[in-house]
Amino acid sequence: MKGYQFITVLVAVLGIILASSLSAQPDKIVFDPLKLFGKSKRPGVTLSHNRHVEAGLSCKDCHHVYENGQNVLDEGQLEEGNQGVRCSACHGPKVRIGLEQAFHDQCIGCHTRLLKEKKKTGPRFCGQCHVKK
Amino acid sequence: MCYFVQGPLVLIAGIIFILGLLYQGIQFFKLTKKKEWGVPPSSLEIKPQKQTKKQWVREALRTLNGTLWKTDPVLTIVTSVFHVCLIIAPLFLLGHNILLDQSWGLSLFSLPESVSNFLTLLVLICGLYFLGRRLFMARVRAISTVYDYLVLLIAVVPFLTGFLAYQQWLNYQTVILLHILSGELMLITIPFTKLGHMLFFFLYRFFIGSEYSFVRGSRTW
Ligand code: HEM
Ligand code: HEM
């Protein structure tokens, strides 16, 4: 009987942990260039978190806090609504890598690298990300 | 297949384009190297007289009257607009420059996309004018061959597909693949078809011209 209760609790706890870690990141992020850049030359991009996590990427492949060239990000910080997660928190107009370049370097950079390695990859051409609705 | 077209073939096309033009340029000088006649003594040379600014302007206007500008001003304007846009639009295009930056870490200054799109539209309209001329003007039609149409097509299709891609009309995946293919086809064919005039125009116009004036014929044409 004790063992049975233990397993139920364990499953419940695991379930909560799993569910919370899954809900830590929203599935679909629809960017609004007007809010991000104050201009909108291209239609906003939709990023599917789940597609990328299911493809085997870790949160740290995209989210980072650098210290001495090391990514020391604490994944517990990755919560919906945390403004510090936003790329714009650090990549502003005064930084070497501006916001637009941060996005393009990360997104197109990885897709291009995987393409060269002939692995499953994402799009590289403008209209495949900036889809007109 | 898709990988080959958007990866290695871009590089291959670029290399063929540059090496092809180099080869044609070298051939041009090699084939004409032999001296055919002795250099005439400089006493025979007609020395240009010193001109005042006013004379120079009048002379320039007079020369202009003997050119296409006088016989066909519309064509002069169309072909000028066509060529300026044809060079500027793809070179200073944001889409090309971002990709170039991602692949090779180099990029040029980019025009606003609405401007590039407008220049592209101008190229297409001028291309249509060239096509119309060949189809409907009897004297142009008489000397047009399949080759002329083909070359015009090769030059214009990258702009048509680029335009469609920017507007995201039709199926984007197909259009962008066709765009890349047609762009590569254009780069590869430039050195070996009459599109090579982008090099030879300058050789014919200025080099051969100078052979008959400044350097006094040291090559065999
Ligand atoms: C060889 C490899 C090439 C690649 C990979 C390539 C790629 C692209 C891409 C991704 C776009 C943006 C489409 C969009 O906005 O969604 C584009 C547009 C365009 N391309 Fe290319 N291109 C190539 C060659 C060329 C060449 C040789 C030309 C002409 C000389 C050309 C002319 C254009 C023009 C004019 C546009 C813009 C049309 C507009 O904004 O209205 N491309 N290209
Ligand atoms: C870079 C310098 C270039 C110069 C100085 C130049 C000059 C000329 C001249 C003098 C003509 C004949 C006039 C006419 O038919 O209107 C011409 C025609 C033409 N050029 Fe160029 N050109 C250049 C580059 C290019 C390039 C890069 C392309 C495309 C790949 C191109 C495509 C054409 C086409 C298609 C025509 C013929 C239009 C027709 O009558 O069907 N040109 N060019």
Side-chain angles (χ1 to χ4, degrees), chain A residues 42 125-127, chain B residues 10 86 89-90 93 95-96 99 113 116-117 120 158-159 162-163 165-166 172 176 179-180 183-184 186-187:
Chain A
R42 288 263 171 176
F125 300 123
C126 321
Chain B
V10 179
L86 179 108
L93 186 75
H96 288 172
L99 284 174
E113 295 204 271
S116 307
N117 191 234
T120 308
F159 291 85
F163 188 79
Y166 179 70
Y172 186 80
I176 198 71
H179 174 70
I180 298 170
E184 288 160 346
M186 173 173 155
L187 289 178

Side-chain angles (χ1 to χ4, degrees), chain B residues 75 79 82-83 86-87 130 134 151-152 155 186 190 195 197-198 201-202:
Chain B
L75 182 62
T79 193
F82 176 78
H83 281 92
L86 179 108
I87 308 276
F130 287 142
R134 291 203 181 276
V151 165
L152 188 58
M186 173 173 155
I190 282 179
L195 288 178
H197 71 268
M198 103 181 249
F201 173 83
F202 295 100

Side-chain angles (χ1 to χ4, degrees), chain B residues 82 127 130-131 134 147-157:
Chain B
F82 176 78
F130 287 142
L131 183 67
R134 291 203 181 276
Y147 178 61
D148 294 310
Y149 291 106
L150 207 64
V151 165
L152 188 58
L153 200 71
I154 290 177
V156 169
V157 168

Side-chain angles (χ1 to χ4, degrees), chain B residues 159-196:
Chain B
F159 291 85
L160 182 63
T161 48
F163 188 79
L164 291 175
Y166 179 70
Q167 305 294 345
Q168 297 186 23
W169 288 341
L170 308 180
N171 178 309
Y172 186 80
Q173 309 289 346
T174 316
V175 168
I176 198 71
L177 197 69
L178 284 178
H179 174 70
I180 298 170
L181 263 175
S182 62
E184 288 160 346
L185 184 69
M186 173 173 155
L187 289 178
I188 291 173
T189 49
I190 282 179
F192 308 107
T193 60
K194 70 173 185 174
L195 288 178

Side-chain angles (χ1 to χ4, degrees), chain B residues 31-216:
Chain B
L31 290 173
T32 61
K33 212 163 108 198
K34 213 177 93 219
K35 276 200 180 141
E36 199 169 45
W37 58 65
V39 178
S42 55
S43 57
L44 283 182
E45 220 179 312
I46 304 164
K47 291 253 159 55
Q49 282 167 348
K50 277 243 173 340
Q51 291 175 319
T52 63
K53 276 219 179 75
K54 216 165 140 197
Q55 275 175 324
W56 189 88
V57 171
R58 203 178 307 141
E59 177 72 13
L61 285 178
R62 200 176 58 79
T63 318
L64 204 61
N65 266 345
T67 63
L68 190 66
W69 173 246
K70 188 72 178 181
T71 44
D72 195 341
V74 178
L75 182 62
T76 314
I77 293 171
V78 171
T79 193
S80 303
V81 170
F82 176 78
H83 281 92
V84 168
C85 298
L86 179 108
I87 308 276
I88 306 273
L91 225 45
F92 302 109
L93 186 75
L94 184 64
H96 288 172
N97 282 329
I98 290 180
L99 284 174
L100 226 56
D101 190 34
Q102 293 298 331
S103 310
W104 297 323
L106 52 96
S107 66
L108 297 159
F109 146 87
S110 299
L111 292 166
E113 295 204 271
S114 48
V115 174
S116 307
N117 191 234
F118 180 66
L119 297 184
T120 308
L121 192 63
L122 286 180
V123 171
L124 291 179
I125 294 172
C126 296
L128 218 60
Y129 178 81
F130 287 142
L131 183 67
R133 239 172 74 87
R134 291 203 181 276
L135 283 177
F136 301 117
M137 278 175 74
R139 67 187 162 84
V140 186
R141 188 185 180 139
I143 54 162
S144 297
T145 61
V146 177
Y147 178 61
D148 294 310
Y149 291 106
L150 207 64
V151 165
L152 188 58
L153 200 71
I154 290 177
V156 169
V157 168
F159 291 85
L160 182 63
T161 48
F163 188 79
L164 291 175
Y166 179 70
Q167 305 294 345
Q168 297 186 23
W169 288 341
L170 308 180
N171 178 309
Y172 186 80
Q173 309 289 346
T174 316
V175 168
I176 198 71
L177 197 69
L178 284 178
H179 174 70
I180 298 170
L181 263 175
S182 62
E184 288 160 346
L185 184 69
M186 173 173 155
L187 289 178
I188 291 173
T189 49
I190 282 179
F192 308 107
T193 60
K194 70 173 185 174
L195 288 178
H197 71 268
M198 103 181 249
L199 169 70
F200 287 122
F201 173 83
F202 295 100
L203 292 182
Y204 296 155
R205 180 65 187 78
F206 298 107
F207 186 77
I208 300 186
S210 73
E211 276 280 290
Y212 286 108
S213 52
F214 309 123
V215 272
R216 286 173 286 125

Side-chain angles (χ1 to χ4, degrees), chain A residues 24 59-60 72-80 82 85:
Chain A
C59 312
K60 285 189 173 180
V72 296
L73 174 75
D74 169 13
E75 288 189 15
Q77 301 276 309
L78 294 177
E79 274 177 1
E80 206 164 346
N82 181 353
V85 173

Side-chain angles (χ1 to χ4, degrees), chain A residues 12-27 49-50 53-54 57-59 63 75-80:
Chain A
V13 168
L14 272 180
I16 289 169
I17 293 176
L18 261 178
S20 68
S21 78
L22 276 181
S23 65
Q25 84 276 11
D27 174 21
H49 256 121
N50 289 1
V53 175
E54 279 159 17
L57 301 177
S58 91
C59 312
H63 295 285
E75 288 189 15
Q77 301 276 309
L78 294 177
E79 274 177 1
E80 206 164 346

